[in-house]
Amino acid sequence: MGFTFDKKPTIEIDGKEYICDPTDVNLIEGISEHFPKLLAIGSQMEELRVQMIGKDKSADQMREHNEIFIAKNRELLTECQGFIHGTLGIEEYNEIFSGRRPNSVEHLKLCTYIFNEVMKGRAKVLEEYLDPPDNEQEVLDASDKAAGQHSGEKD
């Protein structure tokens, strides 16, 4: 039998499975480039929200804060779209959000879900390489013990 590729991991979104491979180059770029920006924009939006509900604002100041908040909301949506494009794919994004109006909260929730699933998936992949199976560890321990006895060390 020849070489076969491993089955790619998937995540479920609205009852449908989507490939979400934590070793995929585009996914890694989406995670590393877009997710930190999402967090920063979210923090900026929270600061703006606090400023907007603060007292002693003139109408011009309120209008300015509102304009900045709206722009940040659009920026958040754009970063979320980039994240989802990078992690799942453009066609998959279009399918997931087909018939839905632009909503930064829904996008952010999906991004957080994807991020958490990817991190769980990466941990599983890394465990295979970093954490030897129990029997392998027993062999290593026995080897270390034998090496210690041969060098004159005692248990």
Side-chain angles (χ1 to χ4, degrees):
M1 182 170 173
F3 176 83
T4 56
F5 288 101
D6 293 336
K7 185 177 185 266
K8 298 291 183 193
T10 60
I11 60 173
E12 184 179 334
I13 300 169
D14 273 345
K16 183 164 191 239
E17 295 288 321
Y18 293 91
I19 292 175
C20 191
D21 179 5
T23 63
D24 177 83
V25 173
N26 292 328
L27 184 140
I28 292 169
E29 288 175 6
I31 292 284
S32 61
E33 289 179 9
H34 292 283
F35 204 76
K37 290 179 186 177
L38 295 175
L39 297 176
I41 295 168
S43 177
Q44 293 166 358
M45 288 185 70
E46 179 59 21
E47 289 175 23
L48 286 168
R49 186 191 68 77
V50 168
Q51 290 174 8
M52 286 171 56
I53 60 173
K55 297 179 180 166
D56 302 327
K57 299 273 189 266
S58 69
D60 287 340
Q61 289 172 321
M62 288 298 293
R63 196 171 15 265
E64 182 181 333
H65 275 97
N66 285 337
E67 289 172 8
I68 294 169
F69 190 80
I70 289 168
K72 281 290 172 195
N73 189 50
R74 287 253 177 236
E75 184 180 357
L76 178 62
L77 183 64
T78 300
E79 285 300 324
C80 286
Q81 289 168 332
F83 177 82
I84 298 166
H85 290 172
T87 55
L88 300 180
I90 295 172
E91 290 178 21
E92 291 78 0
Y93 170 87
N94 290 337
E95 182 178 314
I96 292 166
F97 286 97
S98 173
R100 301 187 76 81
R101 296 179 57 88
N103 181 318
S104 61
V105 172
E106 287 181 343
H107 278 71
L108 189 55
K109 284 181 179 182
L110 179 58
C111 290
T112 302
Y113 170 74
I114 293 168
F115 181 83
N116 288 331
E117 291 299 307
V118 167
M119 291 299 113
K120 281 194 276 186
R122 285 195 64 79
K124 287 178 189 173
V125 169
L126 291 174
E127 281 175 8
E128 292 177 24
Y129 297 103
L130 300 178
D131 189 22
D134 289 340
N135 63 340
E136 185 177 332
Q137 188 61 49
E138 289 171 11
V139 169
L140 291 173
D141 290 344
S143 174
D144 288 345
K145 184 176 180 181
Q149 289 175 347
H150 291 295
S151 66
E153 295 176 15
K154 295 185 178 179
D155 282 347

